[in-house]
Amino acid sequence: MEGARSQAKLDADVMSASLNTERARWRGKFSVIEENLQKRKTEINIAHEDGIQFITSKLNLAAPKESCSSNVTQIVDCYSSNPDQVLRCKELAQSFESCVSNALTSR
């Protein structure tokens, strides 16, 4: 009976060592895979940035032009303050119309 226990203990020790060796082997493989994925991610990010810079350089984007949004806010405020006297907002409306006209002709 003692021999069987000793053999079982030896078998368990061998299995444990074998499992530890296998775990270490797989950890090494996963580390290599993770390193490769990180390198690939970096390469993709660099290529993406280079692509954006290339496309942006080819588009000849115009500088942003003046917006008429401040005129809209002024007109809305004027009409809200003078619901029965809309002619008081005539100059603001004309200024807005001029702004929009200029924006459309400068395209």
Side-chain angles (χ1 to χ4, degrees), residues 63-74 95-96 99-100 103 106:
K65 296 184 180 177
E66 182 183 338
S67 171
C68 301
S69 62
S70 64
N71 297 57
V72 172
T73 304
Q74 292 172 347
S95 173
F96 176 71
C99 181
V100 170
S106 66

Side-chain angles (χ1 to χ4, degrees), residues 71 75 79 86 89-99:
N71 297 57
I75 291 173
Y79 284 140
V86 293
C89 305
K90 178 181 176 183
E91 290 179 17
L92 289 173
Q94 288 173 337
S95 173
F96 176 71
E97 180 182 11
S98 174
C99 181

Side-chain angles (χ1 to χ4, degrees), residues 35-52:
E35 289 172 11
N36 290 338
L37 285 173
Q38 191 62 35
K39 287 177 188 175
R40 187 67 182 137
K41 179 182 176 183
T42 302
E43 291 170 358
I44 289 170
N45 286 337
I46 291 170
H48 181 257
E49 289 299 320
D50 290 347
I52 288 174

Side-chain angles (χ1 to χ4, degrees), residues 13-80:
D13 289 343
V14 168
M15 285 294 286
S16 179
S18 178
L19 285 173
N20 287 336
T21 303
E22 194 64 18
R23 280 189 193 116
R25 189 173 72 85
W26 280 103
R27 281 189 186 119
K29 286 183 177 186
F30 286 135
S31 294
V32 170
I33 290 170
E34 287 175 351
E35 289 172 11
N36 290 338
L37 285 173
Q38 191 62 35
K39 287 177 188 175
R40 187 67 182 137
K41 179 182 176 183
T42 302
E43 291 170 358
I44 289 170
N45 286 337
I46 291 170
H48 181 257
E49 289 299 320
D50 290 347
I52 288 174
Q53 289 176 358
F54 176 76
I55 296 297
T56 303
S57 70
K58 299 295 180 189
L59 288 177
N60 295 328
L61 297 174
K65 296 184 180 177
E66 182 183 338
S67 171
C68 301
S69 62
S70 64
N71 297 57
V72 172
T73 304
Q74 292 172 347
I75 291 173
V76 169
D77 290 344
C78 184
Y79 284 140
S80 297

